[in-house]
Amino acid sequence: MNWLLVAMGGAIGATLRYGAGLLIAKPQMMFPWPTWWINVIGCLFAGIFFAFSQKYVFLQNEARLLLMVGILGGFTTFSSFGLETFQLLKNGAVTIALSYVISSLIVGVIMLGIGFYLTQLALAQA
């Protein structure tokens, strides 16, 4: 059953990633904004879910497999991130590559923290 939860979540997440990429992508973009936004949004939702899972124990097992491993694992795009960074470096766009890597990591971690702490605050009010 665990494998099925991850597979279903992965299919949902990958479909969401594809759709979001179509909405964000514009021709002739130098900076890989679609992947950047998808990873940042994924980090925000990871923080939100983590906060919920700290308060509600039932979210630490099967729900975690479906939501975190499946949906968010399928939605976020670390392999695409690595490939796009490599392509930027290969094409000599070192400054863009470095800004992409640094901003993805910093903003991603910040968004995860924001999602976690705002959700934790909201749950404490409930």
Side-chain angles (χ1 to χ4, degrees):
M1 185 60 164
N2 290 346
W3 288 88
L4 182 59
L5 291 170
V6 172
M8 288 181 351
I12 293 166
T15 303
L16 290 171
R17 176 180 70 229
Y18 177 72
L22 291 176
L23 290 173
I24 300 167
K26 303 289 182 242
Q28 312 251 337
M29 281 184 177
M30 289 294 294
F31 193 86
W33 287 112
T35 304
W36 190 89
W37 276 111
I38 288 166
N39 285 338
V40 166
I41 290 166
C43 286
L44 174 67
F45 281 111
I48 290 168
F49 178 77
F50 185 62
F52 271 102
S53 71
Q54 298 301 292
K55 180 160 178 127
Y56 302 106
V57 177
F58 71 91
L59 291 175
Q60 293 177 359
N61 297 316
E62 288 83 8
R64 185 187 68 78
L65 291 175
L66 175 69
L67 296 170
M68 292 290 284
V69 178
I71 294 175
L72 287 179
F75 182 70
T76 57
T77 55
F78 195 75
S79 58
S80 297
F81 166 75
L83 175 61
E84 289 166 348
T85 302
F86 177 77
Q87 289 172 324
L88 287 167
L89 291 169
K90 187 172 171 256
N91 293 331
V94 176
T95 303
I96 293 173
L98 289 174
S99 66
Y100 181 44
V101 169
I102 292 167
S103 67
S104 294
L105 294 172
I106 291 172
V107 175
V109 172
I110 289 169
M111 293 301 286
L112 194 143
I114 288 171
F116 177 80
Y117 288 114
L118 287 179
T119 302
Q120 200 174 46
L121 183 65
L123 290 172
Q125 303 295 321

